[in-house]
Amino acid sequence: AQSVTQLDSQVPVFEEAPVELRCNYSSSVSVYLFWYVQYPNQGLQLLLKYLSGSTLVESINGFEAEFNKSQTSFHLRKPSVHISDTAEYFCAVTRMDSSYKLIFGSGTRLLVRP
Amino acid sequence: EAGVAQSPRYKIIEKRQSVAFWCNPISGHATLYWYQQILGQGPKLLIQFQNNGVVDDSQLPKDRFSAERLKGVDSTLKIQPAKLEDSAVYLCASSPDQNLGYTFGSGTRLTVV
């Protein structure tokens, strides 16, 4: 079975500071990896995903995540955050050989302060 | 393209009552998912449909939850009778033919009192 651990339930940070949201996963088979963002009272939006190829993936709004197979991690980073980045961030995995059922972590609330 | 539509947005019911949620996926998306998101937790898959057939319902509490997807388009999720621990946001998502292009709806927030 797969599992996802997000070590930080909440990360407070000042505007324009860098941030890293941590994600570790456990799986006996190869997986695809995702980060989703959830703004208040909204559904989940895909932020970025790792399927294959380059281990560094980027989103259109400045976030990036790096797949580290040896450490089974997929940490999310942004060099300079904005107030508008305040949201809940979920890391998720799915088995490559499955029906693409997503297994989510418990989420990290990013709180950006002015 | 239009997104995944869900209704109602909010629902408050008393325990032991029944409730139903509705989802209209993106047109042409063959795969439909229902997830349950309890406050402070990540979403958990309840059931997955491929067209009008069930692919995975291993985590659906079948003694009280049921779901159907007639004609392979809209879907309804029902809870009967509801318990306090069913308070959660119920998210519907769809994708074309089990690929990785999930689109989530805004969810239905259920409060059981």
Side-chain angles (χ1 to χ4, degrees), chain A residues 12-29:
Chain A
V13 64
F14 288 107
E15 193 174 18
E16 298 183 4
V19 70
E20 178 180 81
L21 307 183
R22 295 180 292 170
C23 172
N24 289 89
Y25 69 93
S26 173
S27 177
S28 58
V29 299

Side-chain angles (χ1 to χ4, degrees), chain B residues 12-76:
Chain B
I12 300 174
I13 63 171
E14 294 181 350
K15 59 183 179 183
R16 292 187 289 274
Q17 286 186 323
S18 62
V19 64
F21 313 127
W22 174 80
C23 173
N24 186 12
I26 292 174
S27 177
H29 280 195
T31 310
L32 185 146
Y33 309 81
W34 282 102
Y35 281 81
Q36 180 193 56
Q37 185 178 12
I38 293 174
L39 186 65
Q41 299 181 20
K44 181 186 76 173
L45 180 71
L46 291 175
I47 189 167
Q48 177 185 349
F49 292 94
Q50 178 70 12
N51 296 309
N52 60 350
V54 175
V55 174
D56 185 346
D57 64 355
S58 57
Q59 297 194 78
L60 187 73
K62 299 180 185 64
D63 58 332
R64 298 184 300 105
F65 285 65
S66 64
E68 60 182 10
R69 192 184 183 195
L70 299 175
K71 302 180 181 179
V73 183
D74 293 9
S75 177
T76 56

Side-chain angles (χ1 to χ4, degrees), chain A residues 23-70:
Chain A
C23 172
N24 289 89
Y25 69 93
S26 173
S27 177
S28 58
V29 299
S30 296
V31 295
Y32 298 123
L33 296 143
F34 305 83
W35 277 99
Y36 281 84
V37 59
Q38 187 173 37
Y39 299 102
N41 298 315
Q42 294 187 27
L44 293 160
Q45 300 174 31
L46 180 65
L47 190 58
L48 45 75
K49 61 186 176 185
Y50 172 76
L51 305 181
S52 64
S54 172
T55 57
L56 184 66
V57 291
E58 299 176 352
S59 72
I60 58 173
N61 57 353
F63 283 93
E64 65 178 30
E66 186 159 22
F67 169 53
N68 188 319
K69 189 173 183 178
S70 62

Side-chain angles (χ1 to χ4, degrees), chain A residues 38 41 99-102 105, chain B residues 9 35 37 45 48 98 102:
Chain A
Q38 187 173 37
N41 298 315
S99 56
Y100 303 119
K101 172 176 73 174
L102 287 173
Chain B
R9 284 299 309 274
Y35 281 81
Q37 185 178 12
L45 180 71
Q48 177 185 349
Q98 292 194 56
Y102 271 58

